[in-house]
Amino acid sequence: MAMNLSGDPFILLSVVNTKLRDFYNCLQDLCESEDVSARELQACLAAVGYAYDEKLNAFTAV
């Protein structure tokens, strides 16, 4: 199932953080595997107050 960047951003946040935790070592790996733009994904989640934290390998509230 492809990631829907135009859907509910909080569901997207949950899916992305779960995938980062369980399957990917970094955001770039997830984006390449899921064929999504890291820039677009970060912009979607930034719009609801979240940013990618490399050390945690997760999107966290800013």
Side-chain angles (χ1 to χ4, degrees):
M1 177 170 75
M3 278 194 240
N4 181 1
L5 299 183
S6 64
D8 184 315
F10 294 102
I11 292 175
L12 177 63
L13 173 67
S14 178
V15 169
V16 167
N17 276 342
T18 298
K19 286 180 179 253
L20 286 168
R21 182 191 68 220
D22 294 346
F23 302 109
Y24 300 101
N25 294 321
C26 66
L27 180 61
Q28 191 60 38
D29 288 348
L30 176 138
C31 289
E32 287 175 8
S33 178
E34 299 289 333
D35 195 29
V36 298
S37 163
R39 178 175 282 172
E40 288 180 42
L41 178 57
Q42 288 175 302
C44 287
L45 296 178
V48 291
Y50 286 81
Y52 180 66
D53 182 322
E54 281 186 53
K55 291 180 183 176
L56 296 176
N57 190 35
F59 281 86
T60 60
V62 291

